[in-house]
Amino acid sequence: MSWALFHRKARPRPLWLATASGIALFASPVLAQTGDESTRSAQTEVRPDLQTPDIVPTTTDAPAVKAEDQIGFAADNLNYDGDSEVVIAEGNVQMNREAIEMRADKVTWDRQTGKVFAEGNVVIKNPEGDTAYGDKIELTDTLRDGVIDNLLVVLDNGSRLAAIRGTRFDNGNIELENAAYTPCPVEDNAGCPKNPSWQVRAVRVMYDKAKNKVRYKGARIEIFGLPLIPLPGLSHSINNEASSGLLVPEIRLDRSNGFEIAVPYYLRIAPDRDATITPHLYTGAAPMIEGEFRALTDIGSFRINGYATYGSLVPLTGEDPNSRKRFRGYLESAGKFQFDPHWSLTYSGRIATDRTFMRRYDISRDDRLRSTFEAERIGGNSYLSIAGWATQTLRVNDVQGQQAIALPIIDFRQRLADPWFGGQFELQLNTLAIGRTAGQDTQRAFAGARWDLRGLTRLGQEVTLTALVRGDVYHSDENLLTAIPGYRGKSGWQARGIAAIAADMRWPFVGEFMGGTQTLTPRVQIVATPPIKNLDIPNEDSRAFDLEDSNLFAINRFNGHDRFEDGARITYGVEWNFSRPGFNVTSVVGQSYRLSDKPSLFPDGTGLTDRTSDIVGRTTVAYRDFLRLTHRFRLDKDNLAVRRNEFDATIGSRSTYAVLGYSRLNRDILLLGEELQDREEARVGGRVAVAKNWSVFGSAIVDLTQRTDDPTSSADGFEPIRHRLGVAYDDECLSIALTWRRDYADTGDARRGNSYSFRIAFRNLGF
């Protein structure tokens, strides 16, 4: 039977048992420590059960109600005492009010006092999708306030809260006894019960409505059922925003600094601003402080991160008995701002007090720190960039005064439709100013135009015609401070003109092959350029060239603008692609021939020294998501000796995989000043799933360069650089990793040796 029962209108109060706002107090993103209020003896009491009872939340048969002072009511048996106004319902009792549904085996409702007593498989569900279970509950007839025994609340996001007893007081405060919270699954894939990976347990949880704050007594985090991390005085706010507090500590052990512990403190400044302050304590070094500030503005975002300590500095070249303590640190910042649909600003800045600080504290292994800014305007057919950059070198033998400071770099491009042939014009204006505190200064400006026309012939050939012209003006001084003569150019004012025409033809042939489709595409390109005054011009951005498949068919195969390949040449090659479901092979090989006998600008060892270039190519093989292999090569045109041999492969699934890499650069170089010395290196890495959620991972880098390859190298043909080995656990809400790493080279006070790190992350709790 079902009834629609009416009573006096109740004052609305927050639903603490099953609303997201009330339950969220146990799922704050950040946990703060406010003092030690631990009561350990109570933790030996009965533990709350996080498993869902074997009760199916009913779809109520109670009638829908239209007013907030109405209750829909249904039960198998109903007894009503008119004198005492007590309703006793038994057998699949269902009640609903204001979209809140309750189900129980028995419900006693005193209409005079407004008390509702429910017992036996009690289930309460709110409109947000959260469900509360209990053995016995005392409520008001609003179904909002009361006391519940053996409480379990399952949130809509899968998180759950359990307590032996929960009470809500008249002032809105809440107290839970012997409570537990976890966002982790409590069932395995087969539906069998299991312990959550981690959970927070507390003797008592108290919610202060006036302060919107939750405090815990005797709180701790249990991992795999073991109480490992005590959280004395745990507290946090109940809203969905992050709040200030301590984060999980980081633990490391290495040769340079000894044992390290870092305890981050998260500071919530405003909804769009926060900071993290992390003290780093070491047994073998002075303490260090780390800070990070992040902000989100109306037009963009930025962050600032820094490290600071006061300790001794060991030079790059070895020990210094006279080394004194000094301030050491590192500062970086990055951000992007969008002023309107067209204009934006991006910046990134990095600076360190010395060359070994980054490696000493394992912040980064970069050997150069670059700071940049760029203001951009992007239109429908136009582009404007105003940029600049500066570099701090961390390399052993580099002179900081020789590092370039580029300010400004201005580049403007405008596209125009070709009204005569249907092609496209692109106009470009560019200027660059480079300064050095102890080196050559260079200024450059040029204006150019490029025309491209692409079309298809009746036989299916794809033909692209290109023509470009450019005029350059340069000024430089202190040219003799540049070590390599080919980079200096002539001092003072210099000018040059550039013109080039090119025709590129591709002819694809498609057909069936081995159950798939193959495409064979011969390609021929002809480029002609008049003689250019290259050596009179300083070379700032066209250095360290190497011929490869990516630039073989470029009109100017030099990178940058300061060098432009002149003369006439023909480039030829073939591309082949084979694909079938789940499998794909792509390969390209090519070569070029210069039609003039003018000496080449390209230095020895680059593959373009003679009229006939070396042969370059690339092959990529992919099989589903299991295999991806890429091989790049360059063969000597005279004897087919391998001058460049690069191999990269990824094999396996997401849980078990191997990453392999090999590089061999046998360039046969005579001019060592080009920074193109021979190199040989092997890289390996991988991860193996050894059990469910457990894996072993590792990686290694080995220098295989021999002294016969590079006379400046001290390598002996097999010189390990670095390796690491670790074990990890990962599931839906917990990540643990223990890593051992060994470095084989000293760099100042960043010493070779072993280091160990331990990392733990509690997902869904902000750690």
Side-chain angles (χ1 to χ4, degrees):
M1 63 183 66
S2 58
W3 301 71
L5 304 179
F6 300 83
H7 59 86
R8 62 185 179 277
K9 187 172 182 178
R11 177 166 51 95
R13 300 175 183 174
L15 174 62
W16 67 274
L17 289 175
T19 60
S21 61
I23 302 306
L25 60 88
F26 303 100
S28 176
V30 180
L31 302 180
Q33 292 189 10
T34 60
D36 188 0
E37 300 173 343
S38 176
T39 307
R40 299 300 178 195
S41 60
Q43 295 182 356
T44 61
E45 297 177 357
V46 178
R47 296 166 64 92
D49 189 3
L50 290 165
Q51 297 292 333
T52 304
D54 190 15
I55 307 172
V56 179
T58 181
T59 56
T60 181
D61 293 328
V65 294
K66 298 180 180 180
E68 65 178 14
D69 59 348
Q70 295 181 356
I71 292 180
F73 191 90
D76 295 338
N77 298 297
L78 182 67
N79 294 311
Y80 176 61
D81 187 335
D83 295 334
S84 61
E85 294 191 50
V86 174
V87 179
I88 299 177
E90 295 180 295
N92 194 25
V93 183
Q94 303 168 36
M95 299 177 67
N96 67 74
R97 179 173 185 176
E98 299 177 15
I100 301 172
E101 303 171 4
M102 186 184 77
R103 184 257 181 230
D105 293 341
K106 180 180 179 180
V107 173
T108 302
W109 180 17
D110 189 333
R111 297 191 63 193
Q112 290 184 347
T113 63
K115 297 294 185 180
V116 177
F117 300 90
E119 53 187 314
N121 298 323
V122 181
V123 181
I124 301 177
K125 188 173 183 179
N126 73 341
E128 290 78 14
D130 306 328
T131 305
Y133 302 86
D135 291 343
K136 184 167 56 175
I137 184 171
E138 177 184 337
L139 299 170
T140 64
D141 50 17
T142 62
L143 305 185
R144 295 176 180 272
D145 311 323
V147 178
I148 189 169
D149 292 335
N150 291 330
L151 165 69
L152 172 66
V153 178
V154 180
L155 304 183
D156 183 51
N157 62 9
S159 301
R160 52 189 60 216
L161 165 74
I164 298 301
R165 184 178 176 86
T167 304
R168 185 185 190 279
F169 300 98
D170 291 339
N171 61 2
N173 291 353
I174 299 170
E175 182 172 311
L176 302 179
E177 301 176 14
N178 201 350
Y181 164 78
T182 183
C184 305
V186 296
E187 293 183 351
D188 58 21
N189 295 334
C192 299
K194 72 167 187 175
N195 289 326
S197 301
W198 68 266
Q199 57 184 296
V200 177
R201 289 193 176 273
V203 175
R204 184 172 290 110
V205 180
M206 294 157 290
Y207 165 55
D208 188 325
K209 180 181 179 181
K211 297 181 179 180
N212 203 30
K213 193 82 171 179
V214 177
R215 287 184 171 83
Y216 296 76
K217 286 186 178 180
R220 68 191 186 278
I221 287 184
E222 295 186 357
I223 302 176
F224 304 126
L226 301 176
L228 298 180
I229 305 177
L231 299 171
L234 179 67
S235 68
H236 58 77
S237 60
I238 69 166
N239 53 31
N240 292 327
E241 297 179 353
S243 58
S244 301
L246 292 171
L247 304 180
V248 171
E250 301 174 7
I251 300 173
R252 295 184 71 253
L253 176 66
D254 62 37
R255 172 72 182 277
S256 300
N257 304 311
F259 179 80
E260 172 191 357
I261 182 169
V263 185
Y265 182 84
Y266 176 82
L267 180 62
R268 186 71 167 178
I269 302 173
D272 56 357
R273 283 169 174 77
D274 60 21
T276 304
I277 302 173
T278 308
H280 295 258
L281 303 178
Y282 308 93
T283 59
M288 181 174 68
I289 189 72
E290 174 189 358
E292 181 180 28
F293 175 78
R294 302 183 301 175
L296 178 66
T297 70
D298 294 337
I299 60 173
S301 62
F302 69 94
R303 67 177 182 86
I304 303 173
N305 190 31
Y307 299 78
T309 187
Y310 189 81
S312 59
L313 168 66
V314 177
L316 286 166
T317 55
E319 299 289 344
D320 182 3
N322 299 319
S323 177
R324 295 181 302 172
K325 289 187 176 182
R326 50 171 289 184
F327 171 79
R328 304 183 68 188
Y330 167 69
L331 181 67
E332 67 173 341
S333 180
K336 183 171 184 178
F337 304 93
Q338 191 75 40
F339 302 108
D340 60 37
H342 300 290
W343 279 99
S344 66
L345 173 67
T346 304
Y347 81 91
S348 174
R350 306 176 70 191
I351 187 172
T353 56
D354 55 78
R355 302 194 183 194
T356 61
F357 179 82
M358 304 282 284
R359 293 198 177 192
R360 166 70 182 268
Y361 295 98
D362 200 26
I363 299 170
S364 170
R365 296 193 169 269
D366 294 341
D367 58 3
R368 291 179 178 177
L369 304 180
R370 194 172 190 184
S371 300
T372 66
F373 82 90
E374 183 175 25
E376 291 180 290
R377 187 191 187 281
I378 302 176
N381 290 296
S382 65
Y383 173 77
L384 173 64
S385 170
I386 304 174
W389 50 261
T391 302
Q392 179 185 7
T393 182
L394 304 182
R395 295 184 176 184
V396 176
N397 298 318
D398 280 0
V399 179
Q400 181 60 45
Q402 295 284 342
Q403 305 305 308
I405 301 174
L407 185 70
I409 309 170
I410 302 176
D411 188 67
F412 173 75
R413 306 187 187 209
Q414 177 72 52
R415 291 186 303 187
L416 302 172
D418 175 7
W420 302 288
F421 303 103
Q424 181 175 274
F425 286 103
E426 181 178 279
L427 307 179
Q428 182 179 11
L429 299 174
N430 182 280
T431 181
L432 166 68
I434 288 182
R436 296 177 175 87
T437 59
Q440 179 174 323
D441 298 332
T442 302
Q443 297 84 42
R444 176 192 74 201
F446 71 76
R450 174 169 174 158
W451 171 78
D452 290 283
L453 175 64
R454 176 184 175 273
L456 297 175
T457 68
R458 293 183 178 180
L459 297 178
Q461 295 103 333
E462 178 187 348
V463 179
T464 302
L465 302 178
T466 302
L468 65 86
V469 292
R470 202 178 89 191
D472 300 350
V473 177
Y474 282 78
H475 180 271
S476 61
D477 52 27
E478 300 190 42
N479 302 59
L480 294 179
L481 295 177
T482 298
I484 301 176
Y487 294 165
R488 295 174 184 169
K490 293 183 179 180
S491 62
W493 291 97
Q494 302 294 329
R496 69 176 177 183
I498 297 174
I501 57 173
D504 193 320
M505 190 273 288
R506 298 160 51 96
W507 196 355
F509 296 89
V510 182
E512 296 182 356
F513 179 68
M514 296 180 61
T517 302
Q518 67 170 338
T519 304
L520 185 67
T521 308
R523 184 177 182 182
V524 178
Q525 181 194 63
I526 299 176
V527 180
T529 304
I532 298 174
K533 295 196 311 180
N534 275 301
L535 295 180
D536 294 344
I537 303 301
N539 183 1
E540 296 283 4
D541 62 6
S542 300
R543 305 180 180 184
F545 171 83
D546 199 2
L547 181 66
E548 55 187 22
D549 64 280
S550 62
N551 58 23
L552 177 65
F553 286 93
I555 294 178
N556 180 28
R557 293 186 286 197
F558 279 104
N559 51 304
H561 300 290
D562 292 336
R563 290 290 180 266
F564 200 98
E565 186 178 1
D566 55 5
R569 68 179 185 270
I570 180 172
T571 305
Y572 42 87
V574 62
E575 301 173 5
W576 180 71
N577 175 265
F578 169 69
S579 62
R580 58 179 301 173
F583 184 74
N584 182 267
V585 180
T586 301
S587 184
V588 58
V589 62
Q591 188 181 35
S592 69
Y593 177 76
R594 287 194 293 113
L595 302 177
S596 63
D597 58 359
K598 179 182 178 180
S600 171
L601 284 171
F602 298 98
D604 292 338
T606 60
L608 281 175
T609 307
D610 299 327
R611 296 182 64 176
T612 303
S613 76
D614 287 350
I615 302 169
V616 296
R618 183 195 74 249
T619 299
T620 301
V621 179
Y623 175 68
R624 301 186 185 276
D625 294 331
F626 180 78
L627 169 68
R628 185 171 183 84
L629 183 151
T630 300
H631 178 232
R632 296 180 179 87
F633 65 89
R634 177 161 65 86
L635 304 179
D636 192 290
K637 65 182 187 309
D638 297 321
N639 53 18
L640 298 182
V642 180
R643 298 303 180 194
R644 178 175 182 172
N645 191 17
E646 290 184 292
F647 174 88
D648 291 285
T650 301
I651 307 170
S653 62
R654 291 187 176 182
S655 58
T656 298
Y657 60 87
V659 178
L660 308 174
Y662 172 79
S663 300
R664 167 67 170 167
L665 303 178
N666 181 19
R667 294 163 167 153
D668 193 23
I669 293 176
L670 301 177
L671 184 61
L672 296 179
E674 281 288 338
E675 298 182 339
L676 296 174
Q677 293 86 352
D678 294 343
R679 290 287 185 270
E680 187 173 7
E681 181 182 274
R683 305 172 299 278
V684 61
R687 180 180 293 268
V688 178
V690 295
K692 184 179 180 180
N693 303 123
W694 289 92
S695 62
V696 176
F697 60 90
S699 63
I701 302 175
V702 180
D703 186 0
L704 303 177
T705 307
Q706 301 184 34
R707 293 185 180 180
T708 55
D709 297 325
D710 181 7
T712 65
S713 175
S714 60
D716 59 2
F718 189 89
E719 186 74 26
I721 299 175
R722 184 184 315 113
H723 77 246
R724 68 184 183 116
L725 184 65
V727 59
Y729 174 89
D730 285 284
D731 64 17
E732 300 89 341
C733 61
L734 179 64
S735 178
I736 303 175
L738 177 63
T739 305
W740 164 51
R741 193 186 72 199
R742 180 172 180 82
D743 293 281
Y744 291 86
D746 291 333
T747 305
D749 53 2
R751 300 175 182 175
R752 72 179 70 188
N754 299 319
S755 63
Y756 304 88
S757 65
F758 176 74
R759 179 183 63 86
I760 182 169
F762 299 92
R763 300 188 179 113
N764 304 316
L765 200 59
F767 284 93

